Amino acid sequence: MSMNSQGRPTSPSAPSAPPAIETVSGSRGLQQREDLIFETGSTTKTGVDLPTPKGGMDRLGGVTRKKSVGLPGLSEPEAVRHYVRLSQQNYAIDLGLFPLGSCTMKHNPRLNEKVARMPGFADIHPLQPQSTVQGALELIDQLATWLKTLTGMPAVAMSPKAGAHGEFCGMMAIRGALMARGEIETRTRVLVPASAHGTNPATAVQCGFTVDEIKADARGRVDMEDLKSKLVDSSDIAGIMLTNPNTCGLFETDIREIADLIHEAGGYFYCDGANFNAIVGRVRPGDLGVDAMHINLHKTFSTPHGGGGPGAGPTVLSEALADFAPVPFVVEEDGVYHLVEQRSGEGSDAFGRLCAFHGQMGMFTRALTYMLSHGADGLKQAAEDAVLNANYLQSRLKKVMTPAFDGYCMHEALFSDAFTAEGIETLDIAKAMIDEGYHPMTMYFPLVVHGAMLIEPTETESKAELDRFCESLLSIAEKAKAGDESLKGAPYLAPKRRLDETQAARKPELRWSEPDKIAAE
Amino acid sequence: MTQFTQQTTFYTEDHEWVTVHGDLATVGITRYAAEQLGDVVFVETPEVGKTFKKGDEMAVVESVKAASDVYAPLSGEIIDTNSALADSPETVNEHPEGEGWFCVIKFSDGAETRNLMDKDAYFEFCKGQ
Ligand SMILES: Cc1ncc(COP(=O)(O)O)c(C=O)c1O
């Protein structure tokens, strides 16, 4: 045994297999136990010590709250610890590889954060006089220019707050254009491939269209025969909503022909740009015949998914739709930037505004920082590396797992559950990944593949990390192939074991009540 | 008009079963479909009195994995729905081809059953899936 000068042992001497330890605190080592915030705090407690206001006048016309709303009071350290502890039970891109397909969980560079926190961008208010926020307006204008250049499209609406919101913006612009043509009553049908993300048909319906589903072919792409058959009578066609690369991680090779067919039919081409990260710098959607496309800044341009408020899903528009963009937008005149709040001309009564102000400044700052720090060549390389990484994964994983389609993939690799033994499901593989310290991949999506597993490593990961991930997943896949029943119990090592999703959906309990109240009921 | 004096069950490529008798058709999803969906957590049955054309989206079934449309296997009017499914969607997993029925259609054209499958054909169809 080695000793230090006080005689304290400096090397472990205990047996290596740990006994099963039950702790008194409920914490387990660095994993702190944490109760619900309602159980930690209490309604009779407060964390702040303020004098009761005196001489206040009720200006609320008698609607002043009379009872407490029952929020728990906590001290600052209690509140801070609560959320830090919860965050430690969670997974994050800052912890490890986050392979959620279609979500593009790439690294959020710290430089983005630094710039977003500069007071000139962070501490301004949308109602400030425009002369005092010229820099911020210029930033919006620059970002818009980058987006238009990268997509080869003439116009962009900056205000949508997410991909789905951008879809809404694009489809409303299509509505506006159809209205101007006097065809909104007759052109009501929107074609959507079977592999589409659920937001696509939801958006179409939300905008008053009906959805007509197009089949996927054996190559995982739009079935051209099915598409053509749906266009035989095209007098009611409003457009198509197509993702490219699609949600199977494949480039729609017939996209030019699809665009022409839709345009000949009198419809518009909405492209879901969620996967733009695979082609940015290499393909300009404007050259493919796209009329509208959202760009999830949190996917392609590295802004956090849900950090610092809502996201951003700017929507680029073709010449045909440019007049139907929402207000406001930024214009520059003699070096001075203005927000245009009112439109004139054809689209003046198109659909007004999408949200109160001009969009999500914090995300704009981060996205432009990413663009400027990478440069156009760097953005292209990021796309190429994302595709390379996905193909590396696909070629290693296919030794055990079944690729859903033949050939190379784009930025994500899709597998079916065909390789698993009877009784072992995609869900079991996903849960076992948690024990390996990885967030599971996207599962059961897209719907066109049985037991789908959609894996998107992004360009963030090194080869060493990809190898570690592959070895973990391959070991699970081997077990799934051999029918190892232990997978059904996974995860074993997570803070929470497998939850009962069925009961959670069938009998959701969405409200917390005090335990003694529950007992009394 | 085709009349069904004997109760007969047909199947669709979208994995619905249709039991016709007289001019009424009871519709549900097949055992195969229920197994593929996994635990059903929500069923939206059509309203009584609504009419559908064959192939129209008529109902929605949602499981922990996915939400799927159920298509009208025959054209006609809804005259009854299984309201018990709202509170106990699990019936669809437990008895998909019995108590887990979705609705009854008073169909307008019995000839539409011609391109539906019988049990053997459906069994073969599922094998190819
Ligand atoms: C293909 C596809 N379309 C649309 C969306 C919606 O984007 P958002 O989550 O930003 O609303 C997503 C993202 O989840 C997606 O993967």
Side-chain angles (χ1 to χ4, degrees):
Chain A
M1 186 192 282
S2 51
M3 297 269 186
N4 70 3
S5 58
Q6 269 84 38
R8 184 169 70 82
T10 55
S11 302
S13 59
S16 54
I21 299 174
E22 284 305 323
T23 60
V24 177
S25 64
S27 299
R28 300 191 70 76
L30 299 184
Q31 184 94 64
Q32 301 289 321
R33 181 188 106 152
E34 188 55 8
D35 297 326
L36 298 177
I37 199 161
F38 288 93
E39 293 159 356
T40 311
S42 97
T43 51
T44 56
K45 203 167 108 176
T46 173
V48 287
D49 194 2
L50 293 176
T52 320
K54 278 196 244 34
M57 210 169 62
D58 178 8
R59 289 172 208 242
L60 289 171
V63 295
T64 325
R65 200 171 63 218
K66 298 203 174 61
K67 280 197 316 214
S68 142
V69 286
L71 295 178
L74 288 94
S75 67
E76 184 170 305
E78 283 172 327
V80 168
R81 283 182 187 159
H82 177 73
Y83 291 106
V84 172
R85 287 174 179 181
L86 289 187
S87 77
Q88 290 191 322
Q89 299 185 13
N90 208 348
Y91 198 82
I93 187 64
D94 290 347
L95 275 176
L97 190 156
F98 207 131
L100 268 185
S102 207
C103 295
T104 315
M105 306 301 285
K106 61 166 77 174
H107 173 60
N108 310 137
R110 290 307 179 265
L111 181 61
N112 297 359
E113 300 304 318
K114 183 174 173 184
V115 176
R117 282 167 177 69
M118 291 164 95
F121 295 129
D123 300 341
I124 54 177
H125 192 278
L127 292 178
Q128 232 168 286
Q130 291 181 19
S131 62
T132 65
V133 289
Q134 283 293 303
L137 293 178
E138 183 178 353
L139 181 139
I140 298 175
D141 191 55
Q142 264 202 39
L143 177 61
T145 304
W146 271 84
L147 293 173
K148 287 186 285 188
T149 309
L150 290 169
T151 55
M153 305 278 277
V156 61
M158 296 299 287
S159 55
K161 304 273 191 180
H165 204 203
E167 289 174 36
F168 183 73
C169 174
M171 293 308 284
M172 285 299 278
I174 290 174
R175 252 192 88 83
L178 289 172
M179 235 183 289
R181 279 161 52 178
E183 292 188 287
I184 191 64
E185 301 296 333
T186 49
R187 292 195 175 267
T188 53
R189 187 157 55 108
V190 172
L191 304 179
V192 181
S195 62
H197 192 256
T199 49
N200 292 184
T203 299
V205 170
Q206 186 77 18
C207 293
F209 298 108
T210 55
V211 173
D212 194 0
E213 189 174 293
I214 327 168
K215 288 200 196 101
D217 68 9
R219 298 158 56 240
R221 293 166 172 96
V222 166
D223 182 329
M224 292 301 283
E225 288 317 307
D226 196 41
L227 173 69
K228 284 177 193 158
S229 77
K230 302 219 180 256
L231 293 174
V232 172
D233 176 9
S234 63
S235 57
D236 64 341
I237 286 287
I240 190 171
M241 295 183 83
L242 181 71
T243 310
N244 192 36
N246 68 22
T247 60
C248 300
L250 301 169
F251 196 86
E252 289 284 356
T253 40
D254 294 320
I255 189 159
R256 280 302 326 237
E257 191 186 347
I258 295 172
D260 290 344
L261 288 170
I262 291 296
H263 289 147
E264 278 160 30
Y268 295 96
F269 180 2
Y270 186 89
C271 182
D272 180 328
N275 295 336
F276 188 48
N277 61 305
I279 56 174
V280 63
R282 295 208 55 132
V283 178
R284 299 192 314 165
D287 299 335
L288 303 177
V290 168
D291 289 303
M293 182 180 93
H294 73 259
I295 302 162
N296 316 57
L297 295 188
H298 48 282
K299 298 185 180 185
T300 304
F301 297 112
S302 82
T303 70
H305 289 239
T315 301
V316 288
L317 299 165
S318 67
E319 211 65 74
L321 296 181
D323 279 344
F324 302 95
V327 287
F329 49 88
V330 178
V331 291
E332 186 240 29
E333 258 170 67
D334 305 329
V336 181
Y337 294 87
H338 307 277
L339 272 174
V340 177
E341 304 270 356
Q342 200 87 47
R343 251 178 188 289
S344 53
E346 195 181 24
S348 57
D349 51 10
F351 73 106
R353 42 175 77 234
L354 269 178
C355 43
F357 300 113
H358 51 268
Q360 178 57 7
M361 194 65 208
M363 296 302 136
F364 295 167
T365 317
R366 290 173 173 90
L368 186 65
T369 305
Y370 181 77
M371 291 169 173
L372 293 176
S373 59
H374 280 67
D377 56 337
L379 295 178
K380 176 163 164 258
Q381 194 190 332
E384 289 169 353
D385 290 352
V387 174
L388 183 65
N389 275 1
N391 279 287
Y392 181 69
L393 278 191
Q394 189 190 43
S395 72
R396 279 208 65 181
L397 295 175
K398 77 178 177 199
K399 301 211 168 71
V400 183
M401 297 169 66
T402 322
F405 300 103
D406 291 340
Y408 292 114
C409 60
M410 293 295 289
H411 61 299
E412 52 197 353
L414 178 60
F415 298 89
S416 80
D417 62 359
F419 68 93
T420 63
E422 179 87 31
I424 305 289
E425 285 201 63
T426 292
L427 183 70
D428 304 319
I429 297 175
K431 296 292 183 190
M433 284 172 73
I434 300 175
D435 282 336
E436 286 285 336
Y438 287 108
H439 193 286
M441 63 297 207
T442 292
M443 51 175 193
Y444 301 111
F445 173 81
L447 302 178
V448 293
V449 169
H450 198 277
M453 288 169 247
L454 185 61
I455 304 177
E456 178 174 11
T458 81
E459 69 279 12
T460 299
E461 306 306 329
S462 66
K463 178 169 176 295
E465 184 52 38
L466 293 177
D467 283 331
R468 200 167 77 100
F469 175 77
C470 284
E471 274 141 35
S472 300
L473 184 48
L474 283 170
S475 81
I476 297 167
E478 293 280 11
K479 285 187 196 162
K481 196 171 179 176
D484 185 337
E485 286 290 318
S486 74
L487 292 178
K488 309 267 350 150
Y492 295 97
L493 305 175
K496 294 276 182 289
R497 296 287 305 279
R498 198 178 294 207
L499 305 179
D500 188 342
E501 287 176 56
T502 305
Q503 282 312 310
R506 282 182 187 162
K507 303 211 160 46
E509 258 178 53
L510 304 173
R511 291 182 57 190
W512 180 82
S513 349
E514 280 176 58
D516 48 345
K517 275 203 193 141
I518 300 175
E521 267 169 20
Chain B
M1 181 174 167
T2 322
Q3 278 289 346
F4 295 90
T5 46
Q6 257 184 7
Q7 183 168 314
T8 321
T9 300
F10 297 100
Y11 298 86
T12 72
E13 291 190 0
D14 299 308
H15 306 285
E16 290 116 16
W17 55 265
V18 201
T19 298
V20 290
H21 197 196
D23 59 355
L24 299 184
T26 309
V27 183
I29 65 168
T30 63
R31 179 168 301 281
Y32 176 82
E35 276 166 13
Q36 291 296 309
L37 278 170
D39 288 342
V40 172
V41 296
F42 176 70
V43 178
E44 188 182 302
T45 49
E47 274 168 51
V48 170
K50 270 205 157 173
T51 59
F52 292 98
K53 283 206 305 286
K54 181 181 167 112
D56 284 353
E57 287 158 19
M58 175 182 80
V60 180
V61 51
E62 205 176 307
S63 75
V64 284
K65 287 186 209 159
S68 313
D69 293 319
V70 176
Y71 302 99
L74 297 172
S75 308
E77 183 188 340
I78 305 294
I79 60 154
D80 195 8
T81 67
N82 187 355
S83 51
L85 294 184
D87 285 330
S88 46
E90 60 274 14
T91 316
V92 176
N93 294 112
E94 288 158 6
H95 309 286
E97 307 198 9
E99 274 171 59
W101 62 280
F102 279 40
C103 61
V104 178
I105 303 175
K106 186 177 162 85
F107 55 90
S108 49
D109 181 5
E112 284 180 349
T113 54
R114 241 181 266 141
N115 49 21
L116 301 180
M117 290 175 273
D118 66 12
K119 200 174 186 80
D120 291 343
Y122 177 66
F123 190 71
E124 281 305 309
F125 173 76
C126 288
K127 271 207 236 158
Q129 290 272 296

